[in-house]
C-alpha cells in the first residue's frame, strides 16, 4: 500500500472533556482507531499535521504510526467546533487494500462549452458517491465540458471513472447540462445515507463512541 501519507500518533490514557481540552490546548486532537475485529485504541495526533494531510494532500487514507506500530486507516469522521475552524475529534477506521469503502468525491468541470446556444450552465451534481478500494480513492471526478451542447446533458453513465471505482448515483442522473434560462433544472437523484455519516467502510464494525470527549 505504497504512497499513503504517514502520520505520527500516540496512545492516550486520559478520557473525558477535560483531558480532550488539554490535548487541544497543546496542539493535538483526540481520536479513536477501531475496526477489523481489533481493540479500539484511543490516540492523539498533531492538529497541524492532520490539517495539512487533509487540506494540502487531500488525504482520505493514512498510515498512522502509533507508538512505532503502523495502522492503515480511513479518516471516517472529523468533528469541528461550532464555527468550523478547529478540529475537535477524529475517528479512524482500520482498512486494508481488499476492503471496499464508500466516499463522496467532488465533480470538477474543465474548460467551457464552445457553443452554448443561449443556454446557461447547470450542474445538478457537485459530488458523487463512489465505492472503491481505500487505496484507490480518486481526488475528484473531472469532466471536460468543451463539447457540451444544449439538449445533450452529461449523465452519470457517460462518465469515465478510474478502474475499480463504482459510482452509486443512478446511471441516468444528470451531472451537468446547458439549459435555457427560466427552465427548471433537473433534480439530482440522492443516494440515501445516514445523517452526518462520513466515508463508510463496507461491513465495518461499529466502534464504541466516546461521546464525553466530543
Amino acid at each position: 500500500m505504497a504512497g499513503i501519507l504517514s502520520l505520527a500518533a500516540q496512545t492516550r490514557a486520559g478520557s473525558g472533556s477535560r483531558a480532550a481540552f488539554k490535548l487541544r490546548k497543546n496542539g493535538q486532537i483526540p481520536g479513536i482507531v477501531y475496526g477489523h475485529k481489533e481493540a479500539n485504541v484511543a490516540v492523539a495526533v498533531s492538529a497541524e499535521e492532520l490539517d495539512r494531510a487533509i487540506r494540502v494532500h487531500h488525504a482520505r487514507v493514512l498510515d498512522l504510526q502509533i507508538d512505532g506500530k503502523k495502522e492503515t486507516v480511513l479518516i471516517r469522521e472529523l468533528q469541528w467546533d461550532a464555527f468550523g475552524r478547529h478540529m475537535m475529534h477524529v475517528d479512524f477506521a482500520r482498512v486494508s487494500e481488499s476492503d471496499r469503502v464508500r466516499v463522496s468525491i467532488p465533480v470538477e468541470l474543465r474548460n467551457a462549452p464552445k457553443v452554448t446556444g443561449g443556454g446557461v450552465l447547470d450542474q445538478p451534481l457537485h459530488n458523487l458517491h463512489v465505492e472503491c478500494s481505500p487505496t484507490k480513492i480518486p481526488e475528484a471526478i473531472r469532466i471536460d465540458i468543451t463539447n457540451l451542447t444544449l439538449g445533450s446533458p452529461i449523465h452519470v453513465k457517460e462518465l469515465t471513472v478510474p478502474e475499480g471505482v463504482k459510482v452509486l448515483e443512478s446511471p441516468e442522473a444528470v451531472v451537468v447540462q446547458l439549459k435555457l434560462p427560466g427552465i427548471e433544472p433537473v433534480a439530482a437523484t440522492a443516494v440515501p445515507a445516514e445523517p452526518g455519516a462520513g466515508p463508510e467502510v463496507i461491513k465495518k464494525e461499529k466502534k464504541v463512541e466516546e461521546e464525553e470527549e466530543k
Side-chain angles (χ1 to χ4, degrees):
M1 301 175 73
I4 298 177
L5 194 68
S6 182
L7 180 68
Q10 299 82 40
T11 54
R12 56 186 175 89
S15 62
S17 58
R18 182 174 296 181
F21 175 80
K22 185 176 180 180
L23 281 173
R24 297 183 193 109
K25 189 176 180 180
N26 291 328
Q28 293 185 303
I29 301 298
I32 187 77
V33 179
Y34 64 95
H36 277 199
K37 298 182 179 180
E38 296 183 35
N40 293 353
V41 179
V43 298
V45 298
S46 164
E48 181 180 354
E49 292 300 319
L50 181 59
D51 185 74
R52 181 181 296 113
I54 294 170
R55 296 182 187 274
V56 177
H57 298 284
H58 307 288
R60 299 288 189 98
V61 175
L62 297 168
D63 275 341
L64 278 188
Q65 302 292 337
I66 308 174
D67 298 335
K69 177 186 176 182
K70 186 180 78 169
E71 295 265 26
T72 301
V73 298
L74 173 74
I75 302 173
R76 175 68 177 85
E77 185 176 0
L78 186 59
Q79 296 186 0
W80 299 79
D81 66 6
F83 302 100
R85 297 176 182 173
H86 304 290
M87 292 179 287
M88 304 294 288
H89 191 276
V90 59
D91 291 357
F92 297 112
R94 294 184 182 96
V95 292
S96 65
E97 193 169 6
S98 60
D99 286 338
R100 300 286 290 178
V101 299
R102 291 178 179 176
V103 294
S104 178
I105 302 297
V107 175
E108 296 181 0
L109 305 182
R110 296 298 174 89
N111 303 316
K114 290 187 294 186
V115 180
T116 65
V120 294
L121 195 65
D122 173 50
Q123 185 181 354
L125 287 175
H126 290 269
N127 294 277
L128 292 173
H129 296 83
V130 304
E131 180 180 310
C132 60
S133 164
T135 62
K136 304 293 184 182
I137 300 175
E139 181 179 326
I141 302 297
R142 298 178 176 89
I143 305 174
D144 184 351
I145 59 171
T146 302
N147 296 316
L148 182 65
T149 57
L150 193 64
S152 298
I154 296 175
H155 301 85
V156 167
K157 64 183 179 182
E158 296 160 338
L159 298 179
T160 300
V161 297
E163 183 179 358
V165 175
K166 177 184 178 182
V167 179
L168 301 178
E169 271 78 14
S170 167
E172 301 299 327
V174 173
V175 182
V176 62
Q177 64 184 340
L178 287 172
K179 69 180 186 68
L180 293 173
I183 303 297
E184 288 296 323
V186 176
T189 303
V191 174
E194 296 180 5
E200 174 189 358
V201 182
I202 309 305
K203 296 183 179 179
K204 69 177 179 64
E205 301 159 43
K206 296 183 71 174
K207 68 180 179 64
V208 177
E209 297 289 345
E210 295 192 332
E211 294 297 341
E212 72 275 9
E213 294 182 355
K214 304 176 184 180

